[in-house]
Amino acid sequence: MDTIPYSRQEISEADIAAVSAVLRSELVTQGPVVQRFEQAFAQRHAVAHAVAVSNATSALHLACLALGVGPGSRVWTSPISFVASSNCALYCGATVGFVDIDPATRNLSVDRLRDKLEDAEPRGELPDVVIPVDFAGLPADLRELRALADRYGFKLLEDASHATGASYLGAPVASAWADATVFSFHAVKILTCAEGGMVATNDAALAQRVRSLRSHGITRDETEFEFASPGAWYYEQQALGVNARITELQAALGLSQLGRLDDMQARREALADRYDTLLAKLPLVLPPRRDDRRSAWHLYAVEIDAARTPVRRETAFAALREAGIGVNVHYIPIHTQPYYQRLGFARGDFPAAERYYARTLSLPLFPALTPAQQDRVVSVLGSVLA
């Protein structure tokens, strides 16, 4: 019996041809394909600038640096995310805080954020940057977050690593609300470059800072030089950057995949709709839906409803894996990780996040998932919960 993964990349013949064309060209890195990918991505997401980098972790790190995060800065994010969403602030020497999730959307709670801001303001401990996470592909409450950002003076860095192609209030994520938005192109994401990330923004200066930082903080643009150029070989390092460049090969794959993003999105939506129907009578809390936003459906994460079944998540997880169904758990709350415990966080700090974690399972969802495979997932899950 074949194993069904929780996610899997979809590589077409057109993708292979695009990468092969780069391999036959003169440049396999630092060439024109990266720029074409950036321009196409920016256009698709209705944003002025998009800067491609080696992965989304680097994108978060460089975006924080470009937003001025450094020693003494405070950055707040959601505890239900991959650790990169908070590690990026620590890389810059900042301190990290968390805001509990909304149990319904699984995203950072606007109410809890407002409470935390009201508590922090009189002590002079407001955040410099808040990083909401579009968990599973569902955009966060960006309008309300923008209003709080304007009221309290912090920057909004949207982690849309799950949300390539998602929309909010009729516009693509990255276009209207955040100061910068980060996307991921890991192999299991909506669109893949094998590895890769993007920083999208309407701020030209911020985009230029990210471009410089992704390549050691070096510029070869004579108009930006601080000293007179002695010749065509000259370049200047003007900031302490890193090497976070994406290759032409990765960009070619991403550009090819971007061309069928709508088709892949439609397939994910159809599978999610079918799951909703097939799972409706099981003792589960199904993924949230909101009329004002369109999820990218990176994950189909359910919660086992303890009020309707005595079966624990650990039991269901083990039984599904034993049956060859590659369920997963997204995510272990960041504040419960040993490293973060040593920073002073403790279990019980963010109860909504911990309740969600104790009950959640991510079911297989990817464009090539067949109806027969989906039926098998539902059948085994139903038997386990019964």
Side-chain angles (χ1 to χ4, degrees), residues 24-105:
R24 294 186 177 94
S25 71
E26 293 184 0
L27 295 172
V28 295
T29 190
Q30 295 179 271
V33 180
V34 171
Q35 187 174 7
R36 293 208 300 269
F37 179 37
E38 292 171 336
Q39 291 169 343
F41 193 90
Q43 182 176 11
R44 173 62 177 78
H45 287 80
V47 67
H49 307 279
V51 184
V53 295
S54 54
N55 51 62
T57 299
S58 293
L60 285 163
H61 179 198
L62 299 186
C64 279
L65 289 173
L67 288 167
V69 174
S73 299
R74 299 181 186 88
V75 177
W76 296 353
T77 189
S78 169
I80 293 296
S81 185
F82 187 58
V83 294
S85 299
S86 54
N87 287 350
C88 58
L90 299 179
Y91 298 152
C92 302
T95 58
V96 169
F98 295 101
V99 179
D100 211 350
I101 64 169
D102 180 326
T105 65

Side-chain angles (χ1 to χ4, degrees), residues 103-330:
T105 65
R106 294 105 173 243
N107 285 331
L108 185 147
S109 167
V110 172
D111 289 338
R112 299 291 76 75
L113 175 61
R114 186 180 295 110
D115 292 344
K116 193 176 177 80
L117 290 165
E118 290 174 355
D119 182 62
E121 186 175 33
R123 300 197 311 271
E125 296 178 355
L126 288 170
D128 298 282
V129 175
V130 171
I131 305 177
V133 178
D134 298 334
F135 179 72
L138 184 72
D141 296 310
L142 297 168
R143 176 171 52 189
E144 293 80 2
L145 292 170
R146 181 73 262 167
L148 289 174
D150 293 342
R151 161 70 178 82
Y152 288 97
F154 60 81
K155 299 293 187 181
L156 200 59
L157 173 56
E158 181 184 4
D159 185 345
S161 294
H162 293 184
T164 303
S167 61
Y168 178 78
L169 297 179
V173 294
S175 58
W177 305 100
D179 295 281
T181 304
V182 164
F183 297 88
S184 173
F185 309 134
H186 183 269
V188 298
K189 293 300 196 300
I190 307 298
L191 178 158
T192 186
C193 297
E195 288 279 4
M198 191 78 78
V199 180
T201 181
N202 285 316
D203 184 331
L206 190 149
Q208 183 54 37
R209 287 196 292 275
V210 175
R211 288 190 193 98
S212 173
L213 290 167
R214 74 176 170 184
S215 191
H216 305 282
I218 285 174
T219 181
R220 295 179 182 274
D221 184 344
E222 189 171 354
T223 64
E224 299 174 353
F225 288 168
E226 296 181 20
F227 305 140
S229 171
W233 69 85
Y234 186 69
Y235 60 87
E236 288 185 351
Q237 181 187 346
Q238 298 178 339
L240 183 60
V242 298
N243 183 354
R245 295 188 297 261
I246 193 171
T247 68
E248 291 285 282
L249 301 172
Q250 293 164 289
L253 178 56
L255 183 59
S256 177
Q257 293 233 321
L258 187 63
R260 63 177 195 282
L261 177 60
D262 290 336
D263 290 340
M264 293 192 291
Q265 170 78 12
R267 179 60 180 157
R268 285 178 177 273
E269 287 183 342
L271 289 165
D273 290 345
R274 192 166 186 268
Y275 264 139
D276 278 3
T277 300
L278 295 173
L279 298 172
K281 295 182 179 180
L282 295 186
L284 298 169
V285 178
L286 301 184
R289 294 184 180 252
R290 293 292 182 272
D291 292 337
D292 62 352
R293 67 202 74 178
R294 182 186 184 193
S295 177
W297 290 108
H298 167 54
L299 300 173
Y300 191 91
V302 300
E303 296 172 61
I304 296 176
D305 188 348
R308 293 189 286 158
T309 179
V311 177
R312 294 174 59 84
R313 190 271 309 281
E314 292 80 356
T315 302
F317 181 93
L320 287 157
R321 284 285 184 95
E322 180 67 23
I325 296 171
V327 290
N328 215 327
V329 172
H330 297 89

Side-chain angles (χ1 to χ4, degrees), residues 321-344:
R321 284 285 184 95
E322 180 67 23
I325 296 171
V327 290
N328 215 327
V329 172
H330 297 89
Y331 288 98
I332 302 169
I334 300 172
H335 70 283
T336 67
Q337 293 288 351
Y339 180 83
Y340 281 85
Q341 300 260 304
R342 290 192 288 272
L343 293 180

